[in-house]
């Protein structure tokens, strides 16, 4: 760490900016959020800075910088957009004892200003030591999206309530209270009735949490998506942040698992079609066991939990054990697969319905409405179809499907090793042999021909 991040107390302190143009104004906009006394030293200033001086928000010294101008200043910014002048004023300010920043000149700066996410009093500073401003901006955008705009107000009001909330036992109970406030009841009350509603919300929320004599476990069934962690919903990420226990399937990727709370207990329920597996009944029992112990369980299922995920059995297990549960949907692999080949699942004048089918079920190869699927123009997303591809091919041809019907197999959809294989019904079984990753078979669809499309998508994933 070449630069050490700190938060500087600015109340009553001086910050001096040399320069009167756009670069200076950009810094002033940030500095005006602080409680520092601001001085601008410049021969010429743009009208916006003049207005700020007229409003008394800063002191304008209308001349070139002189020795002593930065005396007693905590920070100094050289923002003249002129290397000779910036070098000169930086030397003067250093002689005056101020810490100096030369705007856009990392090498000659004693400190740098981070990218800032402002939810005052919650402030996030992001720095990359100048290595990747694009990355800093991306992280900033990501955080801005994730932190509700009302967070600052919530934090200010919440801070005053901290000692009252100590009525709750330390640890999970208190964490649950604050989490409810910051991400549930708080934002809801703020959106409905503004800041004034928060005090009352805190009171009733506390009463409610104190009333829960024993922490009740709960289960959130969460869609982990097809693999790319950026395809998780914000709700899924939040649930992972809050989980006490995460029970995950074999197809959930490492990148997604890494987003779980660090203290969470991670349990691999590696269920695998046709292969060695943890029995479904064992998974159901595991969920109930941890829920009864009061844990918040995140049951992570690949793709969307409602698609071929045996969700109903797990929900039934919760219901019969009186464990509350909810579902956070995810992006199913069929969606990721068609996106990867630049096609849609439905298309006007081609197919007005699409079927999600499974290659096998608990009894073996799964029977479908083959007659309907064999019609020209039909589209089906076949899950778990690798082992049953010959069976599917045979059934479809038997019902009159054209052997030249396009079929695309997408292996590892949304992952780095994603691969799309365009084939036809005639050669489907050969095309799946040797595939090792999870694969989705898109019946009735060929990959889009345009090269540019595939390339753009690959690059995005590589980022
Ligand atoms: N609930 C999941 C499906 C679980 S069944 C979902 O909504 O996607 C498991 C099957 O899903 C696999 O056999 C495979 O056909 C498909 N699958 C899951 N992840 C995939 C991926 N990243 N790429 C291609 N197919 C995938």
């Amino acid at each position: 760490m070449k630069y050490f991040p700190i938060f500087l107390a600015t109340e009553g302190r001086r910050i001096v900016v040399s320069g009167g143009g756009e670069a200076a104004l950009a810094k002033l906009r940030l500095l005006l959020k602080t409680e520092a006394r601001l001085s601008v030293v410049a021969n010429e200033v743009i009208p916006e800075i003049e207005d700020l001086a007229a409003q008394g928000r800063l002191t304008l010294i209308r001349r070139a910088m002189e020795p002593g101008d930065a005396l007693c200043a905590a920070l100094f910014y050289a923002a003249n957009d002129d290397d000779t002048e910036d070098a000169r004023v930086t030397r003067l300010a250093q002689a005056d004892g101020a810490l100096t920043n030369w705007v856009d000149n990392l090498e000659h700066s004693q400190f740098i200003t981070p990218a800032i996410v402002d939810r005052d009093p919650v402030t996030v500073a992001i720095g990359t030591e100048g290595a990747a401003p694009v990355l800093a901006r991306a992280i900033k955008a990501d955080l801005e999206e994730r932190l509700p705009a009302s967070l600052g107000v919530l934090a200010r009001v919440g801070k005053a309530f901290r000692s009252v909330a100590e009525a709750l036992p330390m640890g999970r109970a208190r964490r649950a209270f604050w989490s409810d406030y910051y991400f549930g009841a708080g934002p809801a009350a703020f959106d409905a009735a503004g800041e004034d509603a928060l005090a009352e919300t805190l009171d009733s929320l506390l009463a409610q949490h104190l009333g829960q004599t024993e922490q009740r476990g709960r289960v959130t069934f969460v869609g982990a998506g097809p693999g790319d962690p950026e395809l998780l919903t914000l709700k899924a990420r939040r649930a992972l942040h809050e989980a006490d226990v995460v029970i995950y399937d074999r197809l959930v990727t490492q990148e997604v698992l890494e987003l779980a709370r660090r203290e969470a207990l991670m349990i691999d329920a590696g269920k695998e079609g046709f292969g060695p597996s943890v029995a479904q009944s064992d998974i159901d029992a595991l969920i109930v066991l941890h829920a009864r112990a009061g844990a918040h369980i995140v049951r992570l299922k690949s793709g969307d939990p409602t698609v071929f995920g045996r969700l109903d059995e797990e929900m039934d297990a919760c219901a019969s054990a009186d464990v509350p549960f909810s579902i956070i949907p995810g992006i199913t692999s069929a969606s990721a697969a068609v996106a990867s080949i630049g096609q849609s699942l439905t298309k006007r004048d081609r197919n007005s319905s699409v079927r999600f089918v499974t290659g096998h079920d608990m009894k073996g190869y799964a029977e479908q409405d083959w007659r309907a699927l064999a019609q020209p123009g039909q589209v089906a997303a076949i899950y778990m179809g690798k082992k049953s591809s010959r069976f599917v091919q045979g059934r479809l041809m038997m019902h009159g499907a054209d052997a030249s019907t396009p079929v695309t197999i997408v292996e590892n959809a949304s992952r780095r090793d994603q691969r799309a294989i365009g084939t036809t019904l005639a050669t489907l079984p050969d095309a799946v042999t040797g595939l090792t990753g999870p694969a989705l078979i898109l019946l009735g669809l060929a990959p889009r021909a345009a090269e540019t499309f595939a390339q753009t998508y690959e690059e995005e994933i590589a980022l």
Side-chain angles (χ1 to χ4, degrees):
M1 206 188 281
K2 225 169 138 189
Y3 294 81
F4 183 65
I6 54 166
F7 287 91
L8 191 77
T10 56
E11 189 183 358
R13 303 198 67 184
R14 277 188 86 210
I15 297 179
V16 178
V17 176
S18 165
E22 290 298 337
L25 181 62
K27 280 288 170 285
L28 286 168
R29 287 216 171 94
L30 280 179
L31 294 169
L32 281 164
K33 295 172 180 243
T34 72
E35 296 176 5
R37 289 184 292 120
L38 305 180
S39 301
V40 173
V41 192
N43 252 330
E44 282 171 28
V45 294
I46 54 177
E48 288 92 334
I49 298 182
E50 231 164 70
D51 287 349
L52 289 168
Q55 292 161 25
R57 302 187 65 193
L58 53 83
T59 308
L60 189 55
I61 304 167
R62 206 184 280 265
R63 57 165 168 71
M65 170 110 174
E66 291 174 3
D69 279 346
L71 266 183
C72 301
L75 301 178
F76 174 83
Y77 285 88
N80 291 283
D81 254 343
D82 168 345
D83 282 353
T84 321
E85 180 62 359
D86 280 336
R88 185 185 77 86
V89 299
T90 297
R91 268 195 309 276
L92 290 179
Q94 282 177 4
D96 285 343
L99 265 184
T100 59
N101 172 279
W102 177 340
V103 173
D104 290 333
N105 187 333
L106 188 65
E107 198 191 335
H108 291 103
S109 289
Q110 294 176 319
F111 71 94
I112 47 183
T113 316
I116 295 171
V117 179
D118 176 11
R119 297 284 188 273
D120 186 43
V122 178
T123 315
V124 186
I126 304 149
T128 62
E129 304 199 347
V134 176
L135 189 60
R137 270 196 295 277
I139 297 170
K140 175 176 152 90
D142 186 32
L143 289 173
E144 303 227 292
E145 206 169 292
R146 247 191 295 158
L147 303 177
S150 54
L151 189 71
V153 182
L154 293 176
R156 226 181 321 111
V157 177
K159 188 175 173 189
F161 198 76
R162 286 197 79 81
S163 54
V164 187
E166 279 169 17
L168 284 164
M170 233 168 71
R172 187 189 295 153
R174 221 180 275 173
R175 225 174 36 231
F177 167 76
W178 285 116
S179 172
D180 247 15
Y181 169 66
Y182 280 115
F183 298 108
F190 183 85
D191 290 346
E195 182 170 349
D196 293 345
L198 293 180
E200 201 177 305
T201 303
L202 278 166
D203 283 336
S204 56
L205 197 63
L206 182 62
Q208 183 191 325
H209 278 251
L210 284 170
Q212 290 168 353
T213 40
E214 198 179 292
Q215 173 78 19
R216 215 163 151 224
R218 66 197 164 98
V219 179
T220 315
F221 294 102
V222 176
D228 178 355
E230 296 199 355
L231 290 180
L232 280 174
T233 62
L234 294 177
K235 283 196 172 179
R237 295 188 68 135
R238 185 160 299 155
L240 278 168
H241 277 300
E242 291 169 359
D244 297 312
V245 178
V246 177
I247 304 178
Y248 59 94
D249 281 343
R250 181 182 57 96
L251 286 178
V252 177
T253 55
Q254 194 55 37
E255 289 99 314
V256 169
L257 294 177
E258 272 163 20
L259 297 170
R261 195 157 66 87
R262 222 164 335 141
E263 300 79 18
L265 174 63
M266 307 295 289
I267 302 176
D268 178 359
K271 207 152 45 82
E272 197 164 344
F274 282 143
S277 60
V278 179
Q280 184 63 48
S281 54
D282 291 344
I283 298 177
D284 300 346
L286 203 59
I287 294 174
V288 170
L289 179 83
H290 284 283
R292 286 220 168 111
H296 174 201
I297 296 158
V298 163
R299 173 70 176 108
L300 253 189
K301 289 173 165 291
S302 77
D304 183 277
T306 71
V307 178
F308 301 127
R310 300 186 71 174
L311 175 64
D312 294 270
E313 289 156 74
E314 297 180 14
M315 290 194 294
D316 289 347
C318 289
S320 46
D322 205 19
V323 172
F325 62 87
S326 58
I327 305 173
I328 297 177
I331 292 187
T332 187
S333 40
S335 302
V338 277
S340 79
I341 61 163
Q343 297 289 8
S344 347
L345 283 172
T346 61
K347 185 177 179 185
R348 204 202 288 212
D349 297 332
R350 183 191 63 202
N351 64 314
S352 57
S353 71
V354 60
R355 285 184 173 77
F356 285 7
V357 304
T358 175
H360 66 83
D361 56 24
M362 272 135 66
K363 293 189 246 54
Y365 294 148
E367 290 295 352
Q368 310 289 347
D369 184 353
W370 302 112
R371 184 185 300 279
L373 281 171
Q375 298 301 312
Q378 289 301 302
V379 172
I382 308 176
Y383 291 70
M384 293 175 278
K386 274 193 297 189
K387 294 217 171 69
S388 56
S389 63
R390 198 166 289 282
F391 166 78
V392 169
Q393 178 202 43
R395 282 287 200 268
L396 284 169
M397 307 267 270
M398 202 166 85
H399 286 83
D402 190 332
S404 65
T405 304
V407 174
T408 304
I409 302 151
V410 182
E411 187 192 23
N412 295 313
S414 89
R415 305 179 185 182
R416 273 170 210 280
D417 43 3
Q418 164 178 296
R419 192 153 66 111
I421 304 161
T423 182
T424 62
L425 193 53
T427 46
L428 167 64
D430 300 328
V432 296
T433 35
L435 295 187
T436 50
L440 197 106
I441 299 172
L442 294 164
L443 175 72
L445 292 177
R448 176 171 295 276
E451 278 289 297
T452 45
F453 165 76
Q455 279 166 11
T456 322
Y457 192 65
E458 293 238 319
E459 268 167 42
E460 272 170 25
I461 289 177
L463 276 178

